[in-house]
Amino acid sequence: MSALSDTRTGARDGRPPGGTGARPLAETAQQRERARTIFEKGAPGRRAFEPPALDVPRVDPDRLLPQRFRRSEPARLPEVSEPEIVRHYVNLSKRNFDLDSGFYPLGSCTMKHNPRLHERVAGLAGHARLHPFQHPGRAQGALELMWRLERALSEISGLPHVSLQPSAGSHGELAGVLLSRAYHEDRGETRTKVLTPDTAHGTNPATVAMAGLEVVKVGTSPDGGVDLDDLRAKADESVACLMLTNPNTLGVFDSNIREIADIVHGVGATLYYDGANLNAIMGITRPGDMGFDIVHFNLHKSFTQPHGGGGPGSGPIAVSDRIEPYLMTPRIVRLEDGSFDLREDGYPKSIGRLRGFQGNYGCFVRAYAYICSLGAEGLRDASETAVLNANYLMARLRAVARYLPPAYERTCMHEFVLSGAPMKRELGIKTLDLAKRLLDHGFHPPTVYFPLLVEEALLIEPTETETRETLDAFADAIRAILAEAEEDSEIARAAPYTTPVRRLDEAGAAKRPVVRQALPAADGS
């Protein structure tokens, strides 16, 4: 049997390559081969494409770009053939785990299937080839789609005004905090603090700092919601807003949300909704109806976008009437004759533009296609199925609750948190070890060590697009890993075995990152 087929067999049944023990008997082909960048491949003179002869008048380069901004010598670009390019990127793709090949249960990330219909629609020439500098008069279809998407998001959130401008969820957060600050400053108020629960997403505190405000943490109650007594103690007239996710990152819906809204509004502050977990409530309830003033959406999570690895993302924001005067510009408006335009004038209190152009348009097309495909009933069904899948998987994993008990014993929403503290004490393996070993069973690990208030946390979100068979297989894999650790904990501590690279020195990589690579000499040596 070849080394490659041997290790693949290990991946299927979860055993280290070779069958027993923690050490593999053979490396995979990718483990043996060092990954190389495209700059390390090819040879001088090699070409993948020969452009046609120039069929437009030549222009003096000095008229396009002054000499002082031009290179003194040609860029050191790779010279490779087409087969080399294709093989390079195909092999790189094989080194990554992807949603098309396996279960990807990252908590709070909503890594669900992206329908191929949406990709075809976004790839239509009128969408994919629309130039960002196109005059609004010649981009009426795009503007109408964006305007209709704004109306749909307004209905889903329960808030009347929407801007598509923010580039991602964290950018939507920043927009929300800046809008809240502008609202208070316009009223002549000096408010310097933003309340964030200790279950908040990690970007929330960073967003507050970027907006020039102070983070004040609010504690969690025994049932996983906001500690109302702590909130009352910290909510005063120095507070600009409360940033809240509901359901929160524990997968818990806070049933005290109306009382929370009353406390926050009672001191004149605004209530901001982090929409990362909207996948649990779409079509069932609306943040605006809960009392929120500002909501951001993650189109790349809740509304099926390929995401991860830096993008693309989209984080539109919806606001109430009292926040609307400060909303970003330009705004998409529908004129009396039914046409559409972008308007910057007439909004003197606006915080202005937060990015170039109007956002990641391909994300808008996919999200609008998703909303139109499902409709109101379909969105509700997606949320209900996501909640059902999460509760089903949590119930399946209660069989191993001795080692991985739920952080909070209550019905969860679309995700849930387990604690690996007993597993660490009794079996000698950490949450990280369990996560690495799951890779050998063909599953991407869930989110680990977050939220921070849960010891050895494991945050799991199965989403609505996974089948019961997949959830059963995932639960069986965790049970098998724990049973294996009862016999030999070293197996999990040395995992993974079947991935393109073995366990990495993640602490070393964070402390001593290699961000530059020396290029080979010009002669190829």
Side-chain angles (χ1 to χ4, degrees):
M1 182 181 290
S2 70
L4 184 58
S5 60
D6 183 36
T7 54
R8 283 179 174 171
T9 300
R12 280 198 299 271
D13 62 18
R15 291 176 294 163
T20 60
R23 299 289 298 172
L25 299 182
E27 293 181 310
T28 68
Q30 287 183 328
Q31 287 173 352
R32 289 196 302 270
E33 180 188 3
R34 181 182 68 86
R36 295 188 297 159
T37 68
I38 194 69
F39 290 91
E40 299 173 89
K41 298 182 178 181
R46 228 171 255 174
R47 293 286 184 273
F49 171 73
E50 190 71 32
L54 192 67
D55 60 355
V56 297
R58 291 185 177 275
V59 177
D60 182 0
D62 289 330
R63 292 174 54 191
L64 300 176
L65 190 66
Q67 181 67 40
R68 66 181 184 278
F69 295 129
R70 288 157 56 190
R71 289 177 175 272
S72 58
E73 59 184 42
R76 291 279 304 281
L77 299 177
E79 297 182 74
V80 291
S81 66
E82 183 171 295
E84 285 179 294
I85 294 174
V86 172
R87 288 170 184 167
H88 175 73
Y89 286 104
V90 168
N91 284 322
L92 280 183
S93 72
K94 291 179 180 178
R95 290 178 174 270
N96 290 319
F97 194 99
D98 57 89
L99 189 61
D100 287 343
S101 57
F103 185 33
Y104 214 123
L106 282 179
S108 281
C109 280
T110 315
M111 301 293 283
K112 59 187 179 182
H113 175 69
N114 304 296
R116 293 306 184 261
L117 171 64
H118 304 171
E119 297 303 310
R120 293 200 295 272
V121 173
L124 293 173
H127 296 312
R129 297 184 182 180
L130 181 65
H131 197 283
F133 277 121
Q134 185 69 274
H135 188 277
R138 295 181 177 274
Q140 288 294 295
L143 289 175
E144 180 175 356
L145 183 148
M146 293 161 69
W147 183 84
R148 291 185 179 277
L149 176 60
E150 287 183 351
R151 305 284 71 74
L153 295 177
S154 171
E155 176 63 27
I156 291 169
S157 65
L159 291 169
H161 310 284
V162 176
S163 171
L164 302 178
Q165 208 173 107
S167 303
S170 56
H171 202 202
E173 289 177 18
L174 180 61
V177 176
L178 292 177
L179 288 168
S180 182
R181 191 177 74 175
Y183 166 77
H184 294 301
E185 289 176 348
D186 187 45
R187 295 163 57 89
E189 300 172 349
T190 301
R191 294 177 179 251
T192 59
K193 299 177 181 177
V194 174
L195 304 179
T196 61
D198 53 12
T199 57
H201 286 109
T203 50
N204 288 179
T207 292
V208 174
M210 287 186 67
L213 301 173
E214 176 188 350
V215 178
V216 177
K217 286 290 183 184
V218 179
T220 298
S221 65
D223 67 352
V226 171
D227 186 325
L228 294 181
D229 291 334
D230 194 32
L231 177 62
R232 291 190 189 95
K234 293 173 179 176
D236 56 34
E237 293 185 356
S238 68
V239 172
C241 77
L242 167 66
M243 301 182 76
L244 191 65
T245 307
N246 196 29
N248 61 23
T249 52
L250 295 169
V252 170
F253 187 89
D254 202 318
S255 58
N256 296 317
I257 185 59
R258 296 308 299 267
E259 188 172 357
I260 292 169
D262 290 342
I263 293 170
V264 172
H265 291 153
V267 297
T270 62
L271 190 56
Y272 166 88
Y273 185 89
D274 182 327
N277 291 350
L278 193 69
N279 206 51
I281 66 166
M282 292 185 302
I284 301 173
T285 186
R286 307 189 302 178
D289 298 337
M290 300 178 204
F292 286 91
D293 302 285
I294 304 168
V295 171
H296 96 253
F297 305 85
N298 286 55
L299 296 189
H300 51 287
K301 292 184 182 181
S302 304
F303 299 94
T304 70
Q305 308 290 320
H307 72 286
S314 185
I317 194 161
V319 300
S320 61
D321 286 329
R322 66 173 178 159
I323 303 297
E324 180 274 332
Y326 316 98
L327 205 59
M328 294 84 75
T329 57
R331 302 189 193 177
I332 304 168
V333 295
R334 188 173 191 176
L335 306 179
E336 291 184 0
D337 63 0
S339 64
F340 299 87
D341 197 8
L342 292 173
R343 291 284 175 85
E344 295 197 54
D345 299 332
Y347 309 104
K349 296 182 179 181
S350 169
I351 64 173
R353 181 186 283 275
L354 286 187
R355 59 154 292 152
F357 309 109
Q358 289 304 105
N360 290 324
Y361 179 67
C363 289
F364 303 157
V365 178
R366 294 182 184 92
Y368 187 63
Y370 180 70
I371 293 170
C372 290
S373 298
L374 268 65
E377 292 183 1
L379 290 176
R380 182 186 182 100
D381 182 66
S383 295
E384 290 176 340
T385 307
V387 173
L388 176 63
N389 276 358
N391 279 278
Y392 175 79
L393 184 55
M394 185 168 70
R396 280 294 318 269
L397 290 174
R398 279 203 173 92
V400 296
R402 172 187 169 189
Y403 298 124
L404 286 173
Y408 291 86
E409 275 288 359
R410 53 178 293 190
T411 301
C412 67
M413 295 297 287
H414 67 308
E415 62 186 358
F416 59 94
V417 182
L418 306 178
S419 172
M423 176 182 68
K424 182 179 178 180
R425 289 192 303 268
E426 297 184 37
L427 298 181
I429 65 172
K430 299 180 293 185
T431 295
L432 181 65
D433 301 323
L434 174 66
K436 297 295 186 183
R437 190 69 176 114
L438 275 169
L439 291 168
D440 292 325
H441 287 260
F443 298 108
H444 193 283
T447 298
V448 296
Y449 300 117
F450 183 81
L452 300 178
L453 75 164
V454 177
E455 185 181 0
E456 293 290 320
L458 197 70
L459 175 57
I460 304 171
E461 180 180 356
T463 79
E464 76 279 8
T465 54
E466 296 298 339
T467 65
R468 178 176 174 175
E469 292 82 4
T470 298
L471 303 184
D472 286 339
F474 180 77
D476 290 342
I478 289 183
R479 294 179 66 179
I481 293 168
L482 295 175
E484 173 187 77
E486 289 177 332
E487 301 294 327
D488 185 356
S489 61
E490 183 60 28
I491 295 176
R493 285 199 291 264
Y497 301 93
T498 59
T499 50
V501 294
R502 296 293 306 280
R503 190 176 297 207
L504 305 175
D505 181 3
E506 297 176 18
K511 294 177 180 178
R512 299 179 298 277
V514 178
V515 295
R516 291 182 179 274
Q517 179 184 21
L519 290 175
D523 61 3
S525 62

